[in-house]
Amino acid sequence: MDVLGCILSGFQVSLLPINILYCFLGVSYGTLIGVLPGIGPVGAMSLLLPATYHMAPTSAIIMLSGIYYGAMYGGSTTSILVNIPGEAASVVTCLDGYQMALKGRAGPALGIAAFGSFIGGTLSIIGLMLLANPLVSFALNFGPAEYFALMSLGLTILVYLARGSMIKALIMAAFGLILATVGMDVISGQPRFYFGRAELLDGIDLVPLVMGLFGISEIFSNIEKTLKRDILLKGKIANLLPTLTDWKDSFLPILRGTLIGFGLGILPGGGAMISSFVSYGVEKRVSKHPEAFGQGAIEGVAGPETANNAGSGGAFLPLFALGIPSNVVMALLLGALLIHGIKPGPLLLIQHPEIFWGTITSMYVGNIMLLILNIPLIGMWVKILRVPFRFLFPLILLFCLIGSYSVNQRPFDIVLMAGFGLIGYLLRKLDYEPAPLVLAFVLGPLLENALRQSLILSDGSFTIFITRPISAISLVICLFLITSAISPRLRKTKKILEVDLG
Amino acid sequence: MRRSKIIASLLWILLALYVCVTSFKLDLGVLQSPGPGFMPFLSGGVLCLLGFINLLMEWKNREEKLGWGAVNWGKIIIILIGIILYAALLQKLGFSFATFLVMVLFFKGIGTRSWFFALLSSLLTTLVLYLIFEVWLQSQFPKGILGI
């Protein structure tokens, strides 16, 4: 089927009233999560994951995807008004957005962030549509060796980009792989590491793990801080529509942000966060007035905000076309698809085209909804920002409790979540990032199957990973990144690229 | 903090050794047909090696002066107690009553100082959740001995 036919069939799915409703719920909830510091899109998606079990797979993915790119929109509001990033990808927006607000230009900053996000998000969806079919055709030639190597590459890049020590990030990945082996071995049927508990025979469920590591542990971290929230503008925020001069200054940053965001988003390890950081760096480098950055330059808002939405769109491509999640958020979506009995990958477009094209076209709808939600409803989001944390945290805890129980209706999952919450908090204190753990946990069973199948096919020889070109190139890059942790000069490069993955 | 990081490295090594020994008993198989213990053994081996490298790095790092920071153990323990109690009481007392009790603990323990506000907020939250989950969604949450 040609691309136009696929797009039209996708709209037939995404414009169903029920899917429009779920898209709206997802983007609204995502915007709310983006506005509120204290919980990011990963924690937010994990809270809603159990609720998606009773939905059709397409509706579930539409809603969960909406949370991700909705959070990118919402994060800019707190960055600009309060100088506190709502989520990690909006950190750079604080640098110039807040300065613009201090100069009485909060309205244009919010406006250009919303329009830039819309343009970046929409153009990245077009990129997704055009690249999906060619990439899928290419990926149909992949065997288990290629999958093993590409998944290892994705995991290695995420480990490389994690803040702090790469050894610690690798430890997290190894720990995640070990946790993934708990339960029954799929091939032999033998139970592993279940400690006599029937609840562990099916393995550790993703929801209590992620809720604990990202929800509960975040709350533990946040209750020790007293976040000073001086909401900048007590009255109405005016002039949300940028002026012609603002558009003139933002036009090229928005275009560059789209390309940077999409290009980095589709790479394993990429996504919204690294896209926004790189975009800010590029805008500062090419600007005729780099000294203006950090003092309220609109380019410092337009570029990163466009890039983070373009990056969030691009990140869907490796997941849907190859079945390989490029970051933790995509790993959660992979988990959600597997729970619904659907394995993403090249065959997804053939066996379940409605999921791919339905989700992609719903992003158009979602981006329009977000523009409407973010421009006129800024006042409402500002009011929500004023809700004290002492009311929010108990409610977030309650969502975690209900969410983890509703997975299997077992109190055991609640206790598991608490355990991972404490572990996650201690790990953060000791400078371990939980993101590589989650990605390794989700990829673990797939990695194990790919590795075992490769060795069976090659009659026990590891040369299969070297003789196949894509596998060889991927593993060489992995080796380079890991050994770069040892070289002092290359370690400096890593320090520049580090991002907060949580 | 340096001591805590060294202890953490030792714990990783111990965990890795446990995983390797257990995987060995599970059956590693042969390279032509890897068994159920193969992947955990490999992961455990890698973790053990990384644990040793991390231990050496933490041991050599004598400049570390930062402590644990402002850890609010009191509130963390309250939250953990609340979660464990919820797990223990949910099926006995039922969704609504267990939720009310744990919300009182959370609101009072980590939120407001006022008992009145904690009780009122917990009651309102429980009521809203009852309407959403029991009345609207007809969820199969336990009703407990009180039948609500």
Side-chain angles (χ1 to χ4, degrees), chain A residues 181-184 191-205 410 412-413 416:
Chain A
T181 60
V182 172
M184 200 99 69
R192 303 184 290 194
F193 305 108
Y194 74 111
F195 303 105
R197 292 217 64 122
E199 297 98 335
L200 287 176
L201 279 173
D202 284 331
I204 295 172
D205 212 278
R410 288 186 320 207
F412 179 79
D413 289 325
L416 205 60

Side-chain angles (χ1 to χ4, degrees), chain A residues 235-443:
Chain A
K236 239 176 116 180
I237 294 169
N239 303 322
L240 283 168
L241 294 177
T243 62
L244 276 174
T245 313
D246 291 331
W247 277 113
K248 188 172 84 55
D249 293 334
S250 306
F251 177 69
L252 285 175
I254 285 174
L255 273 182
R256 281 190 288 262
T258 304
L259 288 168
I260 290 168
F262 185 72
L264 289 174
I266 62 176
L267 291 178
M273 281 164 284
I274 188 171
S275 305
S276 63
F277 280 83
V278 171
S279 170
Y280 189 83
V282 166
E283 290 312 315
K284 197 171 173 183
R285 189 70 67 88
V286 305
S287 171
K288 291 187 185 115
H289 304 282
E291 70 283 355
F293 278 73
Q295 314 296 327
I298 199 165
E299 298 91 325
V301 175
E305 282 299 319
T306 308
N308 76 21
N309 274 73
S312 64
F316 283 90
L317 188 63
L319 175 69
F320 283 138
L322 301 177
I324 297 170
S326 57
N327 56 44
V328 179
V329 173
M330 294 300 128
L332 258 182
L333 282 178
L334 172 66
L337 281 166
L338 291 173
I339 285 164
H340 283 279
I342 291 160
K343 191 172 174 312
L347 295 177
L348 181 75
L349 260 77
I350 298 162
Q351 291 170 347
H352 298 281
E354 74 283 357
I355 293 181
F356 178 77
W357 294 107
T359 305
I360 300 301
T361 52
S362 77
M363 291 183 189
Y364 279 121
V365 178
N367 271 284
I368 293 168
M369 287 181 189
L370 282 164
L371 198 61
I372 295 166
L373 278 172
N374 277 268
I375 299 279
L377 296 181
I378 287 283
M380 187 186 85
W381 300 121
V382 172
K383 281 199 176 62
I384 287 170
L385 266 178
R386 294 199 167 106
V387 175
F389 288 138
R390 63 177 191 273
F391 299 143
L392 281 176
F393 288 155
L395 292 174
I396 293 172
L397 281 168
L398 182 63
F399 284 137
C400 291
L401 289 174
I402 295 172
S404 58
Y405 179 77
S406 62
V407 174
N408 295 305
Q409 311 274 315
R410 288 186 320 207
F412 179 79
D413 289 325
I414 298 176
V415 177
L416 205 60
M417 179 189 68
F420 280 116
L422 186 61
I423 290 170
Y425 177 65
L426 293 172
L427 288 174
R428 283 176 207 265
K429 281 288 182 186
L430 295 166
D431 298 329
Y432 291 86
E433 274 221 39
L437 191 163
V438 173
L439 188 61
F441 178 79
V442 174
L443 285 179

Side-chain angles (χ1 to χ4, degrees), chain B residues 89-107:
Chain B
L89 297 174
L90 179 61
Q91 290 180 333
K92 291 190 178 67
L93 297 182
F95 171 69
S96 302
F97 196 43
T99 302
F100 172 73
L101 288 177
V102 87
M103 288 311 287
V104 169
L105 180 66
F106 287 157
F107 274 120

